Amino acid sequence: MIPAKIEDVFIQITTNITGDILNIDAGKFAVSEFHLNQSIFNVCPFLEGTLEALGENTPFLLEGMVINIDNQEFNVDLELFNKNEVVTVLIHNRTNVYKYVDQLNQNRNDIFFVKRELAEKNSELERLRKIADKANEEKSRFLAMMSHEIRNPLNVILGYSEMISNETINNSVKEYANLLSLSGKNLKVIVNDILDLSRIEAGKLDLVNAQLNIHEIAKNAIDNYRFQNKNPNVTLVVEVNKNVPKILIGDDVRINQILSNLLSNALKFTEKGVISLKLNVDSDEKDKVILNFLIEDSGRGMTAEQASKIFNEYQQNNKDDNRVYGGAGLGLSIVKKLLLAMAGEISVISKLNSGTIFKVKIPFTKSQKNKHSQNEILEKVQILDISGKRVLVADDDVLNQSIVSHILKSENVALTLAKDGFEALEMLKNTIFDIVLLDIHMPNITGEKLVQMSNEFANDNSNIPFLALTANTTEEDILRYKSIGFKDVIGKPYTAKQFKEQIYKALI
């Protein structure tokens, strides 16, 4: 754009105080409209009365006036100066300037309304966020309560199923017990999945960075499902490449959870053939290594459309899968969310009636120290003899008491049972024990309150290990229990093996 010449945007005129034009001094703006000896009021009617009122030798400024030339409006500013009744009138064409000012004012007004709308929307979003936070808190409280209420009877179901299976019974009863146990385990999976999903959505999933033996994790994962596999037509194998480091830093519990979900799915949907877990290195750097886990089966497979949906929550590719195989369709959704939290990834390749391959990538930090593996620790734990140990168990549930008694009966411990916290307190005042197991939710005195009353115990009971028996097993719960005096937590439902191992570890 070529700017106008300066003389095109102004005109200077000399008039007398009555408005007669005496001279056109300079400038070309609207020059055709001004003529000698004619009145300036013809073009600038707003100057009538103004010229006569001007003071001597005093400049006067008029801004934002409008003149009409050839049916076109122009915004002008005028500078007036009266000397001896001769008035100099300088007219500036400021049309473009005022146009930009108007636009700026309009933009400012628009911004004001946009800001006000944003403020209103932010206020509404904040209100909705508070409602959502409150709903999440209520959901968390509800899930925690339901977890406890479901896990207690579930502990009884699984405990008695295990007890029945260990008895000398006919094959039909053994089959019924096994089916009962299987249903209980399926229910446990669903409860755990729902709680895990809730923790992930609430941002409360804390990953542990500890030393682990990845070779043993892979081998144990396959061994576990070899034991569960009752189909002679299905073979489970594990292959760990020799370049995979043994000791790494990561979260062994979550890795086990990921592999268990994937192997469990493979076992559910494979009627014959091979299920394999292959482990190799994807990339190897100075302090970090990325491992590939390939879980491959020769099962029924999926279509491309089904494969695209399997990581969605509550997804079952067949409507009857949850009835036939158990589960709520949350496992693979949780696997994906866990991997996202671990900066890992998962993909799937599948063909209908030809099998499925899940490829999982997980980054690990390399270990700088050599420590005993978890299996070495467990080996030391399992050879510990606790026969003759004085054990106090306080639980208000008679069925849970019965299960505990059955588990510890074979260990030849000196077992004492208390029906509530008050009875347990009286025993701790008068009898010496080697270890105490307290149910968290008991009448009269809760397990939490009782463990904090050590000043009322007999002196020899003040320093013995206390274990919490509870269905509240989130990381926050466990840390809180340990902070108030418990050495560890036995989570419900538990197996006899898990129950005894926790006692062994506490007594080391």
Side-chain angles (χ1 to χ4, degrees), residues 121-179:
K121 288 188 179 297
N122 285 337
S123 176
E124 178 66 10
L125 287 172
E126 179 64 17
R127 185 182 71 83
L128 293 173
R129 185 189 65 79
K130 289 179 179 178
I131 292 173
D133 287 346
K134 186 176 180 181
N136 277 331
E137 289 174 8
E138 292 296 328
K139 182 178 74 172
S140 296
R141 278 195 290 270
F142 171 77
L143 288 173
M145 179 188 70
M146 290 306 298
S147 168
H148 180 266
E149 295 303 319
I150 292 172
R151 286 172 187 266
N152 259 319
L154 188 55
N155 186 58
V156 174
I157 292 169
L158 292 175
Y160 273 101
S161 299
E162 188 174 12
M163 288 164 59
I164 293 169
S165 297
N166 292 332
E167 295 291 331
T168 304
I169 51 179
N170 63 49
N171 291 335
S172 294
V173 175
K174 187 178 287 290
E175 183 182 356
Y176 300 155
N178 288 337
L179 291 172

Side-chain angles (χ1 to χ4, degrees), residues 207-474:
L207 297 173
V208 174
N209 284 312
Q211 195 163 246
L212 54 84
N213 188 323
I214 198 66
H215 287 233
E216 290 182 353
I217 287 174
K219 179 179 178 297
N220 291 341
I222 284 292
D223 286 346
N224 179 47
Y225 283 95
R226 276 201 192 111
F227 175 76
Q228 293 187 32
N229 178 30
K230 306 301 181 185
N231 185 348
N233 297 318
V234 175
T235 304
L236 288 92
V237 298
V238 59
E239 297 177 18
V240 180
N241 196 294
K242 62 181 181 181
N243 65 350
V244 175
K246 280 191 177 182
I247 307 301
L248 294 168
I249 303 298
D251 191 325
D252 61 334
V253 172
R254 296 304 179 184
I255 294 166
N256 271 315
Q257 187 176 1
I258 290 166
L259 294 179
S260 291
N261 264 301
L262 296 173
L263 289 170
S264 174
N265 268 356
L267 197 58
K268 285 177 185 176
F269 302 118
T270 303
E271 295 182 0
K272 63 179 180 179
V274 177
I275 296 171
S276 65
L277 169 59
K278 298 176 182 178
L279 182 56
N280 57 61
V281 173
D282 183 79
S283 66
D284 193 345
E285 300 174 9
K286 182 180 178 181
D287 299 318
K288 185 177 80 170
V289 61
I290 297 177
L291 299 184
N292 287 329
F293 297 79
L294 296 176
I295 296 88
E296 184 174 359
D297 66 62
S298 55
R300 74 183 192 190
M302 295 173 283
T303 64
E305 182 182 0
Q306 289 172 333
S308 69
K309 298 177 180 178
I310 57 171
F311 297 112
N312 297 340
E313 293 168 14
Y314 311 108
Q315 177 66 34
Q316 299 277 9
N317 279 331
N318 285 349
K319 291 182 179 180
D320 291 334
D321 280 353
N322 63 329
R323 296 188 184 95
V324 177
Y325 300 109
L330 288 170
L332 291 177
S333 172
I334 291 170
V335 164
K336 187 167 185 177
K337 287 180 168 65
L338 286 174
L339 286 167
L340 286 174
M342 299 167 75
E345 57 186 68
I346 185 170
S347 58
V348 60
I349 300 172
S350 188
K351 187 176 180 182
L352 198 60
N353 301 319
S354 296
T356 301
I357 302 174
F358 284 96
K359 183 177 182 180
V360 174
K361 286 187 180 182
I362 303 178
F364 294 89
T365 303
K366 290 184 178 179
S367 175
Q368 303 300 321
K369 297 178 181 178
N370 289 319
K371 295 184 180 179
H372 293 299
S373 70
Q374 185 67 21
N375 279 0
E376 289 173 328
I377 294 172
L378 286 179
E379 284 173 9
K380 291 180 180 179
V381 169
Q382 289 171 350
I383 62 173
L384 181 65
D385 181 12
I386 63 167
S387 60
K389 295 293 182 181
R390 296 160 296 184
V391 182
L392 171 63
V393 177
D395 196 322
D396 60 305
D397 191 304
V398 176
L399 295 176
N400 280 328
Q401 282 189 5
S402 174
I403 292 168
V404 169
S405 298
H406 181 83
I407 292 172
L408 294 178
K409 186 177 180 181
S410 60
E411 300 298 317
N412 297 317
V413 301
L415 177 63
T416 303
L417 296 174
K419 65 185 178 184
D420 58 29
F422 181 78
E423 187 174 298
L425 176 60
E426 292 303 310
M427 293 174 178
L428 286 165
K429 288 179 179 178
N430 303 302
T431 307
I432 306 304
F433 297 98
D434 295 303
I435 188 168
V436 178
L437 285 68
L438 300 177
D439 180 45
I440 289 298
H441 298 283
M442 290 189 293
N444 300 322
I445 302 176
T446 65
E448 284 189 57
K449 186 174 180 181
L450 181 57
V451 80
Q452 298 176 75
M453 299 171 67
S454 58
N455 59 326
E456 298 186 32
F457 303 164
N459 288 337
D460 290 342
N461 286 331
S462 298
N463 298 315
I464 62 174
F466 281 70
L467 298 180
L469 294 172
T470 179
N472 303 327
T473 54
T474 67

